[in-house]
Amino acid sequence: MNPAGGSADGAEKNASSSTSLHQPSQLQSKEYRDLLDVVDRLRKQGSSFAVKSSALEAISGMSFPAKDNFCTRFATELILRRAPVAGIDISISPGSDRTEDEQATLEEFAYMGTLETLDLGRIIDDAKNTMGLNEASKVFSTDVLRVEVSGPSQPHLTLVDLPGLFLAGNKDQSEQDATLAEKLVLSYMKTPRTIILAVVSAKSDFALQQVTRHTREQDPRGKRTLGLITKPDTLDQGSDSEQFYIQLAQNKDVHFGLGWHVLRNRTYAERNDSAAARDAAEADFFSNGVWTSLKPSQLGVASLRLRLSHVLRNQILSQLPSILEDVTKGIDECRATLQQLGTPRVTSAEQR
C-alpha cells in the first residue's frame, strides 16, 4: 500500500478545524489500535515521526522547555503506548561511541516520579548533565533520551525530537557540531519506517533552511514526508513572503506526497499558556486573513493529529510485509545458530 497522497487526501476530506483535542484521540480508534497491537506483538517499534520541539509539544500535549533560545542537543524519543495502567519510564540509550563504563553510567539514569509530577524540562537538563554535555567541550550527543508514557487513553505512537540543522558555528556550537547534528538527523530520516515532518519556519528565509533539501534526498518521491510550516503569525499581511508560504502550503512550490500543514505555536509571551489557550489562539489566527484560503484540514494542531492518524495507519500497513520479513529472517538465524550448537546436553553426564 502506498503511504503517500491517499492518506493526506483522506484526512482532508474528514478533518474539521473546529475539533478541540488535547490528546491525539483520533489515533485511538479500535481499527488503528488493533493494527498497532499486531505490530507491538511482533516486538517492533513501528513507525515514528521525526519532528521539532514545538510541533512535538503541540501534537503530544506534553510541555517541553519554553526557553526562547533552547536548542535540542540530543534525540528525545517520546513513546506513547496503550496500557491498562498509566505509567512513565524514562531512560537513556547510550550512543555507539560510548565506552562500557560510560554505557553503564548512562543506563543507570532513571525517573522516580509519576506522570503527574513530571517536569520534562528538568528531566532534559538532568539527562544533558548525565551525558556530559556542556558549552565548552561537548555540545551534541548521540545518546537518546527515551520517555515512554503508557495508559488506557494513549495511542501507539513514537515521536522523535531532533537537533536543528545549522551551517555556521558560533561561541556555543562549532562547525564540527553542525556535522554531528546533521549526521544524527539523517540517521533518522534515512529509516524507511520513519515519517518525516519537515518543519520550516516562516520567520526565516526558506532558501536558507536545509531540512527540505535533506528530506528530498532521503525521500525523493515524498511518500513519507509531510511539510510543516510554523510561525505564520510573524509574516507581514499582504507581503510577498506571506504569499510564498501560502503557495508552499498549497504544495505548489516544494511538492511532498503528503502535502503541507500549518501550525501557529506559542509566542514567547504565550510560553506559559495552557494547551487550551494555545489551541484557542491558533484557531483565532487561522479564522482571519489569507490563511482562510487554505483547506481547514491543513490548519492547526487538531487537524494535524487527524492527518497523522491516516498517515500512520497507511505507513504501518505498507511496512508490515517488510516487518514480517525481518521477523522471519530473525527466526531463521536463531534456528541456524541452534543447529550449530548441536544436540542439547541436559544431564550432568552429557555436559561432561
Side-chain angles (χ1 to χ4, degrees), residues 16-193:
S16 169
S17 60
S18 62
T19 305
S20 178
L21 294 171
H22 302 302
Q23 289 289 334
S25 58
Q26 287 98 338
L27 295 169
Q28 300 174 33
S29 73
K30 186 177 185 302
E31 178 188 359
Y32 296 168
R33 292 201 312 264
D34 290 347
L35 172 62
L36 291 165
D37 280 342
V38 171
V39 176
D40 226 26
R41 285 195 292 271
L42 289 173
R43 308 304 300 159
K44 290 289 183 179
Q45 181 173 291
S47 294
S48 62
F49 292 92
V51 302
K52 284 302 298 162
S53 302
S54 58
L56 180 62
E57 177 174 318
I59 295 167
S60 69
M62 296 186 69
S63 296
F64 278 70
K67 299 175 184 177
D68 191 44
N69 62 346
F70 177 78
C71 177
T72 303
R73 301 298 187 182
F74 47 85
T76 299
E77 295 184 358
L78 177 59
I79 305 160
L80 307 178
R81 290 292 180 264
R82 185 164 57 92
V85 181
I88 184 167
D89 181 59
I90 299 178
S91 62
I92 293 177
S93 178
S96 59
D97 57 340
R98 292 292 192 175
T99 65
E100 289 187 5
D101 289 343
E102 289 174 334
Q103 289 180 23
T105 299
L106 292 168
E107 288 170 353
E108 291 177 356
F109 184 87
Y111 172 68
M112 305 305 295
T114 65
L115 186 58
E116 290 72 23
T117 60
L118 175 65
D119 182 346
L120 197 53
R122 182 174 179 179
I123 292 295
I124 289 175
D125 284 340
D126 289 345
K128 177 181 174 182
N129 292 332
T130 303
M131 293 176 189
L133 298 181
N134 55 66
E135 305 303 330
S137 58
K138 188 174 183 179
V139 179
F140 292 94
S141 174
T142 58
D143 305 321
V144 179
L145 176 65
R146 302 180 80 253
V147 181
E148 184 165 347
V149 180
S150 58
S153 63
Q154 294 292 348
H156 285 68
L157 182 66
T158 298
L159 302 162
V160 185
D161 178 33
L162 297 169
L165 298 169
F166 61 95
L167 288 172
N170 57 23
K171 65 181 181 64
D172 296 324
Q173 49 200 25
S174 66
E175 292 184 8
Q176 184 178 359
D177 294 327
T179 301
L180 177 59
E182 180 179 292
K183 183 179 179 180
L184 177 61
V185 171
L186 292 180
S187 70
Y188 279 89
M189 294 177 73
K190 289 177 180 178
T191 305
R193 292 170 190 160

Side-chain angles (χ1 to χ4, degrees), residues 212-230:
T212 56
R213 175 174 64 83
H214 288 303
T215 296
R216 284 176 283 181
E217 289 174 353
Q218 304 303 325
D219 181 29
R221 299 176 64 183
K223 287 186 173 183
R224 55 187 180 90
T225 301
L226 175 65
L228 194 58
I229 300 168
T230 64

